[in-house]
């Protein structure tokens, strides 16, 4: 009775199995029905495939979160094993390495081989500094083994995910090795069992480098705040986008969206606008096909329908005070010279489109001289108060005034006659008159252009609308007020370098005033085929590429330097699925409006 008690059958003291036979254990919860070991992969159960890699070579410099992009692929397990190296062994090894480099340094110096001396000096200094840090207890050395297990629903899915992982590691200058004929040992080492059966891929790291390999972020792209745009295709986590998070999180708030017809491009734009409006962002649409008229009306926005020969209520010569920084001080200023430059650019673009060449230097000088005289007659200066008289804004010069003034100048008669279609009553006279359009304090403003049939008239209208929005919308409120100018089907205007150039200018100048630019197109290749189009894309910190035609998918993958697996996704994606890149971080995203949002964001053309 006082003898040693026998252990009951089934009792295991490591806590892994049940106390009594037949009871479930923790291992039973994640063990597959079967395990089939193959040469370079294994099959878990009847279908699930898995391949385990070990990192044989690491990047020369490690930064915090350098493995984060691996997690975003989805269905990937990463195990990092740390084993402290004995200080005595570390110090002796460092002394040996330092001595070898010193001997080599002396041999090279005496032989006159000076090309390697700077490199050896750096290595000697590094070994000496690390040895001192270890001896003083400031730093330690660890043996670190990094194992990566990639899972796939079938063999093809596994192959595709492995290609993505290998491409990511290649960009980071890391060398993965498939554990050939050692997949079982690799899988057991990756599982959370505390087993380490792969010991021949350990790399020595200092404390700082070892810490960089920790999983410090979750597997998602985008930001930690902002609007919930959709979910990660591979792991289901929500993807947030905050275009106005600030320059530390995203260089600028601009967004480029590309997708073929039916890819969900317009739905995505409306959903993003709807969600951002809840955070106080105002959006102005340049809408060529009236696809946003229903959306604007449902959200109590303001719509402006432009028609040929009918005054739009916008005067392209109207000026407003803008907030500028001078000597580190922000102040209001009327920039007459900028307005003159805008009108010169507009007229140059119109003449180049219609006649094949823009204004010559002499004609530009005549336009500037005439506009200066018109503003001077109205006593308009840099002072914002000069715009008003008795608390009421003064009448501004119009295109009719400019044409009349040019007709009086020697050598400008031909230029003045060429401007006749732009005047009130002409086929393009949509912007000749005193400004009557007042932008309401509404979340959405739509400029709808479908009634303008000809490409030339639409080109004139878009350029003038963008110029007017810059004065009346983009600059208002400065960075304290979030704003966005969205141009849909921008490929229509990219044929003309002048409009593309103006979009680039709007992106560059708008960032300083808290105004984002959203550019959407269904023809990606047309955008990248011109220098101005490429400049617009490069100015956007956020990129969303939805389904593309096969040739366009190749162009998008090459242009954005995406992995090979992205091509298949872009060529076969369902509506709303695509590749999102925010400040250099890329993920596959599925845009998902809520059920109650569909009635607002789906395409309805009146």
């Amino acid at each position: 009775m006082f003898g040693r008690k026998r252990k009951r059958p089934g009792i295991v003291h490591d806590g892994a199995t049940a106390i009594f036979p037949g009871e479930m254990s923790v291992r039973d919860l994640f063990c597959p029905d079967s395990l089939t070991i193959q040469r370079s992969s294994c099959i878990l159960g009847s279908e699930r495939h898995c391949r385990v890699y070990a990192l044989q070579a690491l990047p020369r410099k490690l930064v915090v979160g350098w493995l984060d992009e691996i997690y975003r692929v989805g269905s990937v397990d990463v195990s990092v094993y740390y084993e402290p190296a004995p200080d005595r062994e570390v110090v002796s090894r460092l002394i040996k390495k330092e001595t070898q480099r010193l001997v080599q340094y002396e041999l090279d110096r005496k032989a006159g081989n000076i090309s390697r001396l700077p490199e050896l000096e750096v290595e000697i200094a590094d070994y000496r500094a690390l040895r001192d840090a270890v001896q003083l207890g400031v730093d330690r050395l660890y043996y670190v083994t990094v194992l990566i297990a990639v899972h796939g629903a079938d063999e093809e899915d596994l192959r595709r995910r492995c290609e993505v992982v290998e491409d990511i590691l290649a960009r980071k200058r890391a060398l993965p090795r498939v554990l050939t004929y050692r997949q079982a040992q690799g899988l057991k080492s990756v599982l959370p069992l505390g087993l380490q059966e792969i010991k021949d891929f350990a790399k020595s790291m200092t404390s700082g480098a070892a810490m960089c390999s920790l999983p410090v972020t979750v597997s998602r792209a985008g930001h930690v705040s902002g609007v919930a745009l959709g979910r990660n295709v591979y792991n289901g986590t929500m993807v947030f986008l905050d275009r106005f998070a600030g320059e530390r999180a995203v260089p600028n708030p601009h967004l480029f969206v590309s997708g073929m017809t039916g890819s969900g491009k317009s739905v995505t734009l409306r959903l993003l606008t709807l969600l951002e409006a809840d955070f106080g962002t105002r959006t102005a649409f340049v809408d060529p096909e009236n696809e946003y008229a229903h959306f604007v009306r449902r959200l109590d926005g303001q719509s402006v329908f432009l028609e040929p020969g009918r005054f739009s209520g916008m005067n392209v010569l109207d000026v407003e005070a803008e907030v500028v920084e001078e000597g580190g001080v922000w102040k209001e200023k009327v920039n007459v010279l900028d307005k003159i430059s805008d009108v010169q650019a507009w007229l140059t673009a119109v003449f180049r489109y219609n006649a094949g060449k823009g204004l010559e230097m002499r004609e530009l000088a005549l336009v500037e001289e005439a506009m200066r005289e018109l503003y001077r007659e109205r006593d308009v200066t840099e002072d914002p108060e000069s715009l008003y008289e008795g608390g009421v804004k003064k009448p501004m010069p119009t295109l009719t005034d400019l044409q009349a003034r040019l007709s009086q100048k020697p050598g400008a008669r031909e230029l003045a006659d060429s401007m006749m279609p732009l005047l009130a009553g002409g086929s393009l006279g949509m912007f000749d008159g005193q400004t009557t359009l007042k932008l309401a304090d509404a979340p959405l403003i739509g400029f709808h252009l479908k009634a303008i049939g000809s490409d030339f008239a639409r080109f004139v209208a878009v350029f003038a609308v963008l110029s007017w929005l810059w004065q009346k919308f983009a600059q208002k409120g400065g960075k304290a007020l979030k704003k966005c100018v969205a141009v849909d089907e921008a490929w229509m205007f990219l044929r003309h370098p002048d409009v593309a150039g103006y979009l680039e200018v709007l992106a560059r100048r708008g960032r300083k005033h808290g105004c984002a630019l959203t550019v959407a197109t269904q023809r990606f290749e047309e955008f990248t085929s011109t220098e101005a189009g490429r400049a617009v894309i490069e100015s956007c910190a956020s990129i969303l590429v939805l389904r593309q035609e096969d040739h366009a998918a190749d162009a998008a993958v090459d242009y954005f330097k995406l992995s090979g697996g992205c091509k298949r996704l872009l060529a076969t994606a369902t509506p709303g699925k695509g590749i999102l890149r925010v400040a250099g971080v890329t993920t596959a995203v599925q845009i998902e409006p809520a059920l109650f949002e569909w009635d607002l964001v789906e395409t309805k053309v009146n």
Side-chain angles (χ1 to χ4, degrees):
M1 117 178 237
F2 296 102
R4 187 176 180 181
K5 296 182 179 179
R6 293 185 179 179
K7 297 177 183 178
R8 294 184 181 182
I11 294 180
V12 178
H13 293 279
D14 62 2
T17 60
I19 295 179
F20 297 102
E23 291 185 353
M24 289 190 64
S25 66
V26 175
R27 287 181 180 175
D28 294 329
L29 298 178
F30 59 81
C31 281
D33 296 336
S34 62
L35 176 62
T36 304
I37 307 299
Q38 298 180 334
R39 177 177 176 272
S40 59
S41 64
C42 53
I43 303 176
L44 308 177
S46 58
E47 296 181 352
R48 192 74 178 174
H49 290 246
C50 175
R51 178 172 297 156
V52 184
Y53 295 87
L55 294 190
Q56 188 173 39
L58 301 176
R60 190 173 191 281
K61 291 184 179 181
L62 299 181
V63 296
V64 175
W66 74 277
L67 284 171
D68 287 359
E69 196 173 350
I70 297 293
Y71 307 139
R72 297 188 181 100
V73 175
S75 298
V76 172
D77 294 328
V78 179
S79 292
V80 185
Y81 285 88
Y82 298 89
E83 182 181 350
D87 290 343
R88 183 190 307 175
E89 178 183 336
V90 170
V91 171
S92 63
R93 288 178 58 190
L94 290 175
I95 291 175
K96 182 179 179 180
K97 292 285 187 182
E98 182 183 348
T99 303
Q100 289 175 346
R101 296 303 185 273
L102 282 169
V103 171
Q104 188 63 49
Y105 180 87
E106 289 298 326
L107 291 174
D108 288 352
R109 185 179 63 82
K110 291 179 180 179
N113 183 13
I114 62 174
S115 60
R116 290 185 55 195
L117 294 185
E119 179 183 347
L120 290 171
E121 288 175 353
V122 172
E123 291 185 7
I124 292 168
D126 288 345
Y127 283 127
R128 186 171 298 162
L130 182 56
R131 174 170 57 83
D132 291 342
V134 172
Q135 287 178 325
L136 295 174
V138 177
D139 205 346
R140 291 203 64 180
L141 208 66
Y142 293 84
Y143 298 134
V144 180
T145 303
V146 181
L147 301 176
I148 301 173
V150 183
H151 301 269
D154 51 39
E155 192 171 351
E156 174 62 22
D157 186 36
L158 176 66
R159 184 195 62 77
R160 181 174 57 83
R161 291 180 188 272
C162 287
E163 285 182 358
V164 176
V165 170
E166 290 174 5
D167 288 347
I168 293 173
L169 292 173
R171 289 201 309 270
K172 297 180 179 296
R173 300 295 188 269
L175 178 62
R177 291 294 189 190
V178 179
L179 295 177
T180 307
Y181 296 117
R182 302 172 66 188
Q183 289 292 306
Q185 292 87 344
L187 180 61
K188 286 190 286 185
S189 299
V190 170
L191 292 175
L193 302 175
L195 301 177
Q196 167 59 314
E197 298 192 8
I198 306 297
K199 300 181 180 295
D200 50 332
F201 287 92
K203 300 298 175 186
S204 57
M205 295 186 187
T206 60
S207 301
M211 181 269 296
C212 291
S213 299
L214 292 173
V216 294
T217 64
V218 297
S219 81
R220 67 178 176 210
H223 304 104
V224 296
S225 62
V227 300
L229 188 61
R231 58 180 176 83
N232 188 303
V233 170
Y234 297 114
N235 56 35
T237 58
M238 294 301 298
V239 176
F240 292 86
L241 181 63
D242 188 355
R243 297 196 286 166
F244 299 92
E247 295 183 1
R248 292 186 177 181
V250 58
N252 60 63
H254 309 317
L255 171 66
F256 174 79
V257 182
S258 175
M260 62 182 291
T261 302
S263 64
K265 171 173 53 64
S266 298
V267 171
T268 299
L269 258 65
R270 284 189 282 269
L271 175 63
L272 179 62
T273 302
L274 178 66
L275 297 176
E276 289 185 335
D278 195 43
F279 286 82
T281 301
R282 299 181 66 198
T283 300
F285 288 104
V286 179
D287 179 17
E289 299 297 331
N290 291 14
E291 291 187 4
Y292 296 84
H294 170 79
F295 179 63
V296 172
R297 183 173 62 251
R298 286 289 304 274
L299 293 179
D300 295 326
Q302 181 180 11
S303 289
V304 181
F305 294 90
L306 282 80
E307 299 178 14
R310 178 182 174 186
F311 181 50
S312 62
M314 294 179 282
N315 177 14
V316 292
L317 272 68
D318 198 355
V319 289
E320 292 284 351
E322 62 177 281
V323 180
V324 297
E325 183 181 9
E326 291 185 356
V329 179
W330 291 90
K331 65 177 184 179
E332 283 193 334
K333 175 183 176 181
V334 179
N335 202 328
V336 176
L337 293 180
D338 269 5
K339 173 52 68 175
I340 293 174
S341 297
D342 285 345
V343 174
Q344 287 175 325
W346 182 56
L347 291 175
T348 298
V350 170
F351 280 82
R352 181 181 291 118
Y353 186 105
N354 200 31
K357 70 172 186 176
L359 299 182
E360 297 178 353
M361 193 66 191
R362 182 173 176 277
E363 294 172 321
L364 290 173
L366 289 170
V367 171
E368 179 177 347
E369 181 182 348
M371 291 187 66
R372 282 178 178 271
E373 293 174 0
L374 292 172
Y375 289 119
R376 192 181 304 119
E377 289 176 358
R378 291 159 176 78
D379 293 325
V380 175
T381 65
E382 292 185 352
D383 185 4
E385 295 298 325
S386 66
L387 297 176
Y388 299 90
E389 188 173 1
V392 179
K393 190 171 182 180
K394 299 175 182 177
M396 291 289 110
T398 64
L399 286 172
T400 295
D401 297 330
L402 177 60
Q403 190 271 343
R405 183 60 57 94
L406 286 171
S407 64
Q408 299 171 3
K409 292 185 175 296
R413 185 68 192 180
E414 183 179 351
L415 173 60
D417 291 342
S418 301
M419 289 180 59
M420 293 300 295
L422 299 172
L423 306 186
S427 60
L428 304 175
M430 296 174 280
F431 306 99
D432 182 24
Q434 295 296 330
T435 297
T436 57
L437 175 63
K438 305 295 182 183
L439 293 184
D441 188 17
L444 302 178
I445 303 165
F447 293 86
H448 311 294
L449 312 176
K450 189 175 182 179
I452 304 176
S454 72
D455 286 343
F456 178 44
R458 189 171 291 192
F459 165 77
V460 172
V462 168
F463 205 115
V465 166
L466 289 175
S467 176
W468 195 81
L469 280 173
W470 167 248
Q471 283 273 332
K472 299 285 187 176
F473 180 79
Q475 299 183 49
K476 293 296 183 181
K479 285 191 174 182
L481 181 61
K482 299 176 182 178
K483 306 167 289 289
C484 176
V485 175
V487 183
D488 195 14
E489 302 301 347
W491 64 269
M492 295 181 180
F493 318 113
L494 258 293
R495 308 169 190 169
H496 318 296
D498 299 288
V499 174
Y502 197 85
L503 287 174
E504 181 192 358
V505 171
L506 186 63
R508 186 174 64 252
R509 296 165 68 186
R511 178 180 61 85
K512 301 177 182 178
H513 295 272
C515 182
L517 176 66
T518 301
V519 179
T521 181
Q522 60 176 274
R523 299 190 180 180
F524 179 80
E525 288 178 300
E526 285 197 20
F527 237 87
T528 56
S529 63
T530 65
E531 183 178 350
R534 292 190 295 271
V536 172
I537 296 177
E538 294 302 322
S539 67
C540 297
S542 302
I543 306 292
L544 177 61
V545 185
L546 301 172
R547 181 171 181 173
Q548 305 282 327
E549 297 177 0
D550 289 341
H551 56 87
D554 288 330
V557 169
D558 292 339
Y559 186 86
F560 293 116
K561 297 179 175 59
L562 301 174
S563 62
C566 293
K567 176 187 172 182
R568 179 174 178 271
L569 186 147
L570 293 178
T572 61
T574 54
K577 181 186 290 187
I579 303 296
L580 175 67
R581 171 174 289 181
V582 180
V585 179
T586 305
T587 191
V589 63
Q590 175 67 56
I591 310 298
E592 287 185 333
L595 292 177
F596 64 88
E597 294 170 338
W598 267 109
D599 184 53
L600 286 172
V601 302
E602 65 181 337
T603 299
K604 296 180 180 179
V605 180
N606 297 327

